Amino acid sequence: MTDYVADAKKAFRGPASAALSMEILLLPLSLIIMDKLEGGLTAVKITWVVVVTLGMIVAIARFSKPWALPLALALQVLVLLGWVVSPSLGVFGLVFCLVWAGMLWMRHEVLRRRAQWGAGPG
C-alpha cells in the first residue's frame, strides 16, 4: 500500500472516532426517550443499548486495528436493527447509518482522488 493511501486511511480515524464518540454519548440518552415515549424500559432495551455502547467504546479504543472499521459498521447495523426492540432506537440507527454512509463515501472519494493524483505526472 502506498504512503498516500495509508495516510488517507489513517485520516479517516478522526471523523470515525468522532462519530462513535457522539453515538456513545447519545445512545444511552435514547433510554430516556424510550422510557417516556414507549411506555417504559425493558431488560432487552437496556441490554441492547449497553452492549452496543460498550462495543463502540472498544471500536474507538482499537480504531488503529484493521478490524475496527468493520466492527464500527457492524455496530451501526445493530443499532439500526434495534428497530425491532424500539422504534426510537431504529430512528437513531437510521440517522447514524446515513452519517456513516456519508463518511464512507467521502473516504472513498479521497482514496480515489489520491490514487488519481499519485498516478499522474509529476
Side-chain angles (χ1 to χ4, degrees):
M1 183 176 348
T2 58
D3 288 337
Y4 59 86
V5 172
D7 290 344
K9 287 185 178 184
K10 285 181 186 176
F12 183 69
R13 290 182 200 165
S17 295
L20 283 172
S21 297
M22 184 67 73
E23 286 183 88
I24 288 169
L25 293 173
L26 294 176
L27 192 57
L29 291 175
S30 69
L31 290 171
I32 297 170
I33 295 169
M34 286 184 244
D35 187 33
K36 300 294 181 194
L37 295 180
E38 297 172 9
L41 297 173
T42 64
V44 173
K45 290 178 184 178
I46 295 169
T47 303
W48 196 286
V49 169
V50 169
V51 167
V52 172
T53 302
L54 290 174
M56 289 177 181
I57 292 170
V58 169
I60 285 179
R62 301 288 180 216
F63 218 83
S64 61
K65 305 291 182 193
W67 48 265
L69 180 58
L71 173 63
L73 296 176
L75 290 166
Q76 300 312 306
V77 171
L78 277 178
V79 176
L80 186 60
L81 290 176
W83 204 301
V84 174
V85 176
S86 162
S88 302
L89 209 55
V91 170
F92 183 88
L94 184 61
V95 169
F96 273 98
C97 279
L98 292 173
V99 168
W100 277 90
M103 289 190 330
L104 288 171
W105 175 79
M106 286 186 263
R107 176 180 182 255
H108 170 74
E109 281 297 305
V110 167
L111 290 172
R112 184 182 66 79
R113 290 177 186 192
R114 294 289 300 248
Q116 279 180 334
W117 295 332

